[in-house]
């Protein structure tokens, strides 16, 4: 049995958490490869080291602010080292990093140092080798991950060592330039390492007891999902279940490596298991709906044109406008004479220009825009072939006095999406949660 274990920022925020992490690792000899994040928040008003590193980098022209922020970072690491009684050479490394950040390094370099330093401390504390992710996680010169080279590099490098700490979140190009994943990307590193060493299990340790049926910040009493498929989790994480980075699922899934989400503060809890398939029995136990996730910040652009349904090429014209503006859409529901584009608002740089382009290309009669839209995804393999699920969602939302602006069901019947006003977001998620609890 071989396990890769990834610990998130909240699981490595201070020395007390490092102790818990060591205990978890030492409890099971199969936990041989460890992927740490940078120190996260110790309490809700605290700052994540990764955020501090970005702040430093973007304020490097204000030397006083840079120095103040850099001091906070230094203090975080020195306190962890002192409390643990280890010396991993982090103080000297910080000197070098400070210089690099001020005079040469990119923002990716700056951000990556959070994981790099934490990895060095953790390796020293566990007494196992440190393998720099820059040597094994390979990006191409355009900053895109090269999964094939990464797999080979990991396999070859880790073959030499029984156990290792490999920091999350970053890698490097063949020429040595550091590149990071998007935020939360240590989950991806964990998945890649699991593939590289052909692990039997990828354990992802965090601050909640698994993937909960809904975001615990929205539904306080949300309980963990016992077992979920890669597909379901991919839908949930894409739609805002931020417990795991959506891109972390693909590598493990390709090699059919199960993932287990566990709570560092409650290691006795069973957590959530992520697998390729669930049995009918498991579906029955879980209920029809596996989980609910949601994201704010969308808009709906509705194009209206008389006789649109007869016009050949209308959809193509609308979509080519998006293409030339470098935009993607999330959903595209249509009526007889209307076509709506549900889009992420922050991706649209020039709204007026986009509307003008759509009017011109499609010769629309009118265009209507609704802002401040939230999308809520109700996900579950158990929904397929079940009559009345959509009706239950609609009734629950109506009872909670929530207006549904759009509704979309994927043809695999695993996913129902509803669009509601941003203001109704918490009420809507809670109403659907209660209905299927
Ligand atoms: P880590 O630092 O371990 O990577 P993250 O903060 O990235 O942890 O992810 C865990 C957090 O994800 C939880 O504390 C919770 O606030 C949030 N979250 C959002 N949706 C869910 C969900 N459906 N289940 C569990 N946690 C969720
Ligand atoms: N430390 C990085 C972040 O805060 C990566 C991670 O935590 O996974 O986004
Ligand atoms: Mg995370």
């Amino acid at each position: 049995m071989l396990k890769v274990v990834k610990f998130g920022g909240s699981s490595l925020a201070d020395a007390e958490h490092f102790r818990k992490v060591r205990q978890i690792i030492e409890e099971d000899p199969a936990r041989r490869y460890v992927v740490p994040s940078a120190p996260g928040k110790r309490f809700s008003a605290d700052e994540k080291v990764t955020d501090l590193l970005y702040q430093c980098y973007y304020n490097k022209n204000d030397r006083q602010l840079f120095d103040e922020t850099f001091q906070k970072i230094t203090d975080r690491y020195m306190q962890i080292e002192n409390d643990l009684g280890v010396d991993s050479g982090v103080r000297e490394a910080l000197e070098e990093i400070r210089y690099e950040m001020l005079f040469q390094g990119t923002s990716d370099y700056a951000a990556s140092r959070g994981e790099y330093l934490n990895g060095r401390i953790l390796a020293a504390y566990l007494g196992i080798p440190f393998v720099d992710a820059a040597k094994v996680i390979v990006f191409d010169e355009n900053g895109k991950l090269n999964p094939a080279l990464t797999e080979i590099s990991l396999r070859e490098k880790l073959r030499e060592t029984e156990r290792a700490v490999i920091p999350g979140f970053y890698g490097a190009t063949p020429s040595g330039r550091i590149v990071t994943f998007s935020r939360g990307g240590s989950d991806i590193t964990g998945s890649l390492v699991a593939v590289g060493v052909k692990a039997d299990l990828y354990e992802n340790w965090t601050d909640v007891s698994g993937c909960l049926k809904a975001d615990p910040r929205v539904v306080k009493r949300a309980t963990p999902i016992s077992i979920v498929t890669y597909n379901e989790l991919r839908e949930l994480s894409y739609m805002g279940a931020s417990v795991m980075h959506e891109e972390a699922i693909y590598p493990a899934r390709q090699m059919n490596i199960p993932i287990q989400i566990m709570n560092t503060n409650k290691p006795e809890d069973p957590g959530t298991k992520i697998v390729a398939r669930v049995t009918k029995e498991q579906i029955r136990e879980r209920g029809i709906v596996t989980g609910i996730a949601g994201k704010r910040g969308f808009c709906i652009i509705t194009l209206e044109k008389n006789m649109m349904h007869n016009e050949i090429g209308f959809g193509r014209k609308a979509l080519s406008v998006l293409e030339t503006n470098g935009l993607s859409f999330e959903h595209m529901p249509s009526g007889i004479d209307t076509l709506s584009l549900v889009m992420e608002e922050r991706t649209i740089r020039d709204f007026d220009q986009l509307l003008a382009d759509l009017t011109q290309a499609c010769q629309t009669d009118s265009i209507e825009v609704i802002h401040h839209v939230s999308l809520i995804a109700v996900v579950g393999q158990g929904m397929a072939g079940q009559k009345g699920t959509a009706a239950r969602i609609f009734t629950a939302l109506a009872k909670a006095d929530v207006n549904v602006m759009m509704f979309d069901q994927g043809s695999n019947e695993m996913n129902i999406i509803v669009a509601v006003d941003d203001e109704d977001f918490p009420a809507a998620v809670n109403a659907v949660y209660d209905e299927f609890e």
Side-chain angles (χ1 to χ4, degrees), residues 6 8-10 187 205-208 210-212 214-217 240-243:
K6 178 259 172 181
S10 47
D187 292 331
W205 291 81
T206 182
D207 62 349
V208 277
C211 180
L212 307 180
D215 187 333
R217 293 162 295 189
S242 55
V243 64

Side-chain angles (χ1 to χ4, degrees), residues 7-50:
F7 290 89
S10 47
S11 301
L12 289 164
D14 54 22
E16 193 196 325
H17 278 92
F18 270 69
R19 289 192 191 100
K20 290 185 193 178
V21 165
R22 182 158 85 175
Q23 202 172 349
I24 290 168
I25 293 169
E26 289 183 349
E27 239 159 43
D28 184 350
R31 295 181 175 133
R32 283 172 33 204
Y33 298 103
V34 184
V35 176
S37 285
K41 293 183 181 190
R42 292 158 294 183
F43 41 88
S44 66
D46 198 12
E47 288 164 301
K48 282 178 141 197
V49 166
T50 309

